[in-house]
């Protein structure tokens, strides 16, 4: 039986790969994925066959990977961040009944909520929600509902795909919803751009400042709970030890 | 200036370390943390000084790490999973103003939501919440409120610390809340025990079965959204490509 590894690469540079991910790439004869992600790891394995496809061609890419595995090769389909969180693992598993004889192995990676969180400090140190603001595959009404529920629950939020050229005002709309549902305009927030890549940048700012920030699709956004603090320029959501311990 | 690395180890075995985490451990003169986690990595660095402390001694451990860094050593405080998600990064950053001259570097790791998700398939393939059921540091009323909000938003959920000896019925209580707030008893759920360690086990089951499952504190629980499916024994939350693509 041939194996199709679906591999989370982490945020970018080689240092964020796990040993398990590196081993899966080594054991594969073919590396495939979205062009940008394959380009991140192909230089580590210059002898390997690669297959890249552009954004919005996810189904084609997954079918190609399945067919190639079925034809007798071990294949690694690479994803940035984690393989499962907004990654290709789900789509491959949905397709899997159509491709008997292919064993799918999911290899987790450090998703942007974690890698970006580490850059900012510890924004997700207590219960949190991860929401994508992209409405390509999800009705905006659903996204809006989830934002409201996240605000009601006083969760920390991590927002993926906060904006794009076509959705330039989505982050502002999301902030307006959170503000309308009771989040304080002074809530501690942060963003990280190009996590783990050249030109990484980050900022800690308030929710009212975030509302008017001009960000892009390479940015991950963090919105605190009511307990989140800015400490020496870092964004920190306490677990609550200070309530129980001699401080 | 001395560096205190707070390092997410991933779920357990060496293969889940990122290159960045390994490098931080290599560069440290002292490895410290909860006994179980130090034991996972100390064998990789037999020459290094170690300091371990038991559970519920988090503040002492962090103070020891800060003092040791301030005294002139580079220190790695290790956490299982990620350094930030219910990890020690937040507590260290809260203490940091008391320890000038110590540079805290947060090193992200693969948290159980991701590593356990990979074992089950792709349970967190769309928007999700992470909630700890431990009420040691969080009032149960807050946990209950967040469970309700997660149900209203039709999020996937990942539950940390689903139960312990003293909290044997917490998972059942949580499931009852989700059921009362409208989640179907047939919602696809899953659990993974001892993720990435010897004796790893996992099961996909319904929410009504999960309610009566006897789990322990080494288990991470996943509860699907209304779109989560069981496909060939795996737990999969579709991103939604099937709605937009020629299937």
């Amino acid at each position: 039986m041939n194996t199709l590894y679906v591999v989370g690469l982490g945020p970018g540079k080689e240092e964020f790969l796990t040993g398990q991910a590196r081993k899966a790439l080594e054991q594969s004869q073919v590396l495939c994925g979205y062009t940008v992600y394959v380009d991140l790891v192909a230089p580590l394995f210059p002898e390997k066959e690669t297959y890249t496809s552009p954004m919005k061609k996810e189904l084609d890419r997954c079918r190609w990977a399945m067919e190639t595995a079925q034809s007798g090769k071990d294949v690694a389909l690479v994803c940035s961040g984690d393989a499962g969180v907004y990654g290709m693992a789900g789509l491959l598993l949905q397709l899997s009944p159509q491709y008997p004889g292919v064993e799918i192995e999911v290899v987790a990676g450090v998703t942007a909520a974690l890698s970006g969180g580490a850059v900012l400090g510890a924004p997700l140190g207590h219960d949190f929600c991860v929401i994508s603001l992209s409405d390509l595959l999800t009705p905006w009404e659903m996204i809006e509902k989830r934002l409201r529920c996240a605000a009601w629950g006083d969760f920390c939020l991590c927002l993926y795909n906060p904006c794009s050229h076509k959705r330039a005002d989505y982050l502002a709309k999301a902030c307006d919803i959170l503000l309308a549902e009771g989040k304080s305009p002074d809530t501690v927030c942060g963003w990280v751009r190009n996590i783990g890549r050249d030109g990484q940048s980050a900022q800690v700012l308030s929710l009212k400042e975030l509302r008017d920030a001009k960000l892009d699709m390479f940015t991950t956004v963090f919105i605190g709970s009511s307990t989140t603090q800015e400490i020496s320029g870092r964004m920190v959501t306490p677990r609550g030890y200070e309530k129980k311990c001699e401080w």
Side-chain angles (χ1 to χ4, degrees), chain A:
Chain A
M1 178 150 347
N2 288 97
T3 302
L4 200 174
Y5 299 97
V6 48
V7 181
L9 300 180
K13 290 188 182 159
E14 185 187 349
E15 69 190 282
F16 300 106
L17 282 179
T18 66
Q20 188 194 25
R22 182 182 290 271
K23 194 171 156 198
L25 298 174
E26 278 167 6
Q27 290 184 339
S28 301
Q29 292 149 277
V30 187
L31 308 180
C32 70
Y34 172 43
T35 316
V36 175
Y37 307 151
V38 171
D39 288 350
L40 288 170
V41 287
L44 304 178
F45 305 98
E47 78 291 357
K48 288 201 197 289
E49 185 184 340
T50 61
Y51 172 86
T52 64
S53 67
M55 231 185 328
K56 301 191 184 172
K57 289 289 176 191
E58 290 82 5
L59 184 62
D60 296 349
R61 190 186 308 150
C62 287
R63 286 202 182 281
W64 188 91
M66 287 293 223
E67 284 161 13
T68 305
Q70 214 172 28
S71 79
K73 291 179 176 171
D74 288 328
V75 179
L77 177 58
V78 300
C79 308
S80 81
D82 181 52
V85 173
Y86 308 118
M88 292 293 105
L91 183 52
L92 283 176
L93 289 166
Q94 284 181 278
L95 291 171
S96 62
Q98 300 175 26
Y99 297 89
V102 176
E103 172 77 17
I104 295 174
E105 187 172 331
V106 183
V107 178
V110 177
T111 188
L114 309 182
S115 55
V119 172
L120 290 172
L124 306 181
H126 207 308
D127 305 332
F128 64 95
C129 296
V130 175
I131 300 176
S132 167
L133 295 191
S134 169
D135 62 352
L136 283 176
L137 301 171
T138 307
W140 176 256
E141 296 67 33
M142 188 69 204
I143 298 169
E144 197 163 302
K145 184 179 174 190
R146 287 181 171 156
L147 290 166
R148 288 185 203 287
C149 292
W152 297 338
D154 193 23
F155 283 98
C156 301
L157 280 93
C158 180
L159 302 181
Y160 284 48
N161 309 303
C163 27
S164 71
H165 289 305
K166 285 192 186 164
R167 302 178 289 109
D169 62 337
Y170 278 31
L171 177 61
K173 282 166 69 177
C175 291
D176 285 341
I177 290 164
L178 297 173
L179 289 163
E181 299 303 334
K183 279 221 177 248
S184 162
D186 297 320
T187 301
V188 178
C189 298
W191 57 258
V192 191
R193 186 170 186 275
N194 284 336
I195 303 169
R197 303 190 190 172
D198 293 333
Q200 175 182 296
S201 57
Q203 189 185 1
V204 176
L205 71 181
S206 69
L207 181 53
K208 65 176 179 288
E209 291 167 332
L210 179 69
R211 191 220 169 273
D212 297 318
K214 297 286 168 251
L215 304 180
D216 66 17
M217 60 187 289
F218 304 106
T219 308
T220 305
V221 167
F222 296 79
I223 295 167
S225 72
S226 61
T227 66
T228 305
Q229 303 165 33
E230 180 171 351
I231 300 173
S232 311
R234 312 259 199 136
M235 180 177 176
V236 180
T237 304
R239 179 85 190 271
Y241 294 106
E242 70 283 0
K243 290 180 287 187
K244 294 279 174 177
C245 304
E246 197 81 33
W247 198 244

